[in-house]
Amino acid sequence: MLRITERMDRSSHLARREFLRIGGLSCLGSGLGSLLGVPVFAKKADGVDAAALPKHLRDKSVIFVFCHGGPSQYETFDPKLTAPNGIRSVTGECQTIVPGMTFGGSFQKLAKVADRVSIVRSYQSTEGNHNIRPIVGKETLGANLGSWYSRIAGTNRPHNGMPTNTALFPRAVDPDAGPHQENFGKFDSSGTFGASYAPFIVGGGGTLQKDMELKLSRTRLDDRRALLSELDRVRALYQEGGASQEKFRDQAFDTILGGVVSAFDLSKEDPRTIARYDTAPLVQVSQISQKWNNHKHYADHGRTLGKLFLLARRLCEAGAGFVTVTTNFVWDFHADKNNAGCEEGSRYTSLPLDHALSTLITDLHERGLSDKVLVVVTGEMGRTPKINKNGGRDHWGNITPLLLSGGGLRMGQIIGQSSRDGGEPGTEPLRPENLYGTIMNTLFDLGELRLSRSAPTELLQNIAGWEPIPGL
């Protein structure tokens, strides 16, 4: 939440990144508007309003839920109850409202809205290692998928300054949560695109709460705004079009002084909606066994997941095009000193996901946003067909759980099949490139994108080569 202080301690200072984030005011007049990326679509053409999306951008967003650690396909969306004991889901299964579609027994709420999801059972990440693929990987040129979006769409929305690419970790909604994990990759990586296209990390570690705290007195801010306006007036005498910058600077000031900033503030949400999303009551922190080194991560996951989903929905409504959501490393069901096994771990992980995801899907539907927001849920890998001696499952890249909801795609179906033991694709394998193709075709009109020249050749060639998941 933005705070404008009426006084500033002389010993305080602004870090360079924080200063740029809130918008350092250049005495040369480049100003806050340029830093927020406001002029990206500023020019009018054929009477089209400057705030309108260009033809190659669809009016859609993606919420990418990354289940860090590698969720089990058996205990999520492919329970295999006909397989022998030791292979099939240890949480049982539940029948959904879609005939023939069953989920692991922890997903009772999601089962009731299964007509609004599609499950891909022949999807494989192809790697059995901890990393943050597919959200960041070699196929994405080492950049977060959201960086691809912002590289093409611009870093901020012209009409309100909303960052087009954001990332949500537990501290975005709970300052007492642990820091996000970077042991297996950096979620805010922008590859070769440049740091300006990195996801805007919301909260925690001195990001949103500090970046949006303006450590200038209101008087000093107004003085700088007046100075910039006068410089613009003088420049306009010598440079045609100079005065038009004032509009964009006003938009930037409005953003900082209470415009889109409110989208990041859950206190602006109806308390009944916050309670509806809240997953904290589902996991009693005192009952999480502390023999697991990851017990704090389990607690953070349960306390924050629902509110993270709510915040993601608010950001999409405000104009974010790509939102990465992840909690800390919780889906590693080895049953070793760090992690619980499948049955106990599902209580800590799957129950909050079931509640939060079903609430998000229902909320988007009720708000008329189902066709405008694509929700993707997956991880870096799946789990072994056989349960190990401790009651856990180990790394497995040959099958990875994948759920999609909304985005104007065809829902209420199962795409592809796994083998009888759930360990291999039983039909044509689908891979991360197919998921990327689905996402990119949702966000962009590829024909118009080719004509617009808004994407570098390398990006366009990659996007054009990614075949979407068939049947969606």
Side-chain angles (χ1 to χ4, degrees), residues 73-398:
Q73 63 272 32
Y74 304 92
E75 281 71 45
T76 53
F77 312 127
D78 193 8
K80 295 293 182 193
L81 260 288
T82 57
N85 189 31
I87 294 178
R88 64 191 182 207
S89 169
V90 301
T91 60
E93 72 174 347
C94 59
Q95 179 62 54
T96 74
I97 62 172
V98 176
M101 182 188 292
T102 61
F103 294 157
S106 301
F107 290 90
Q108 302 283 338
K109 296 176 181 177
L110 191 63
K112 296 177 181 178
V113 294
D115 58 330
R116 297 176 190 152
V117 308
S118 283
I119 304 297
V120 184
R121 286 185 173 168
S122 57
Y123 174 71
Q124 55 178 200
S125 65
T126 72
E127 293 185 11
N129 303 314
H130 287 309
N131 49 45
I132 56 174
R133 190 184 186 221
I135 192 68
V136 178
K138 58 185 179 182
E139 300 90 350
T140 69
L141 308 180
N144 184 294
L145 270 179
S147 297
W148 287 64
Y149 183 77
S150 61
R151 177 63 183 83
I152 296 169
T155 56
N156 299 79
R157 295 299 185 201
H159 61 290
N160 64 2
M162 180 71 198
T164 58
N165 176 24
T166 62
L168 304 180
F169 306 105
R171 282 188 176 176
V173 295
D174 184 352
D176 295 326
H180 64 274
Q181 300 298 297
E182 295 186 338
N183 295 340
F184 303 106
K186 292 177 66 66
F187 286 95
D188 62 345
S189 174
S190 58
T192 59
F193 297 163
S196 61
Y197 297 105
F200 182 86
I201 297 179
V202 180
T207 52
L208 186 72
Q209 283 83 354
K210 290 184 180 179
D211 291 345
M212 285 189 165
E213 180 178 345
L214 186 61
K215 295 181 180 178
L216 288 174
S217 70
R218 182 59 183 260
T219 301
R220 290 181 65 193
L221 179 66
D222 289 342
D223 287 345
R224 291 191 179 191
R225 183 173 189 172
L227 173 61
L228 287 169
S229 295
E230 182 62 19
L231 287 172
D232 282 345
R233 187 188 68 79
V234 172
R235 184 174 63 179
L237 298 175
Y238 299 97
Q239 180 179 337
E240 183 180 356
S244 65
Q245 292 293 319
E246 185 173 348
K247 173 183 176 182
F248 308 124
R249 186 168 294 112
D250 285 343
Q251 290 175 341
F253 273 101
D254 289 343
T255 297
I256 286 187
L257 296 177
V260 77
V261 173
S262 63
F264 297 89
D265 188 355
L266 283 185
S267 70
K268 305 295 185 183
E269 187 63 64
D270 186 330
R272 292 171 296 181
T273 302
I274 297 175
R276 181 182 179 187
Y277 272 88
D278 194 9
T279 51
L282 300 176
V283 178
Q284 300 300 316
V285 174
S286 61
Q287 295 179 10
I288 297 175
S289 175
Q290 296 196 17
K291 71 179 181 180
W292 312 117
N293 289 341
N294 272 348
H295 70 274
K296 291 183 179 179
H297 292 172
Y298 295 140
D300 287 348
H301 176 84
R303 285 200 309 258
T304 65
L305 189 65
K307 291 180 179 179
L308 289 173
F309 279 22
L310 173 56
L311 184 54
R313 187 266 286 164
R314 288 177 60 83
L315 297 186
C316 288
E317 285 182 308
F322 198 99
V323 183
T324 302
V325 179
T326 188
T327 56
N328 287 331
F329 196 78
V330 295
W331 293 90
D332 198 20
F333 290 167
H334 287 297
D336 56 13
K337 65 179 181 179
N338 292 319
N339 313 280
C342 297
E343 185 173 6
E344 182 180 350
S346 292
R347 296 201 300 270
Y348 306 147
T349 56
S350 298
L351 288 177
L353 179 60
D354 176 53
H355 179 89
L357 185 56
S358 59
T359 302
L360 175 63
I361 290 170
T362 302
D363 194 19
L364 290 172
H365 176 76
E366 292 172 351
R367 291 171 178 270
L369 297 174
S370 292
D371 288 346
K372 291 195 172 186
V373 180
L374 173 63
V375 180
V376 178
V377 181
T378 191
E380 67 264 41
M381 60 184 167
R383 291 283 149 179
T384 51
K386 291 187 178 181
I387 297 173
N388 65 33
K389 64 180 181 179
N390 297 321
R393 298 187 192 268
D394 299 315
H395 297 185
W396 194 254
N398 292 0

Side-chain angles (χ1 to χ4, degrees), residues 14-37:
L14 283 175
R16 181 177 182 273
R17 182 172 179 271
E18 291 171 330
F19 185 71
L20 290 176
R21 182 76 75 184
I22 62 174
L25 303 181
S26 166
C27 64
L28 297 177
S30 61
L32 192 52
S34 297
L35 289 172
L36 284 173

Side-chain angles (χ1 to χ4, degrees), residues 38 40-55 158-160 247-248 251:
V38 174
V40 173
F41 308 125
K43 294 181 180 179
K44 286 191 176 184
D46 301 324
V48 178
D49 187 86
L53 290 173
K55 291 181 179 180
H159 61 290
N160 64 2
K247 173 183 176 182
F248 308 124
Q251 290 175 341

Side-chain angles (χ1 to χ4, degrees), residues 8-15 18 215:
M8 180 163 58
D9 190 330
R10 289 185 179 181
S11 64
S12 66
H13 68 280
L14 283 175
E18 291 171 330
K215 295 181 180 178

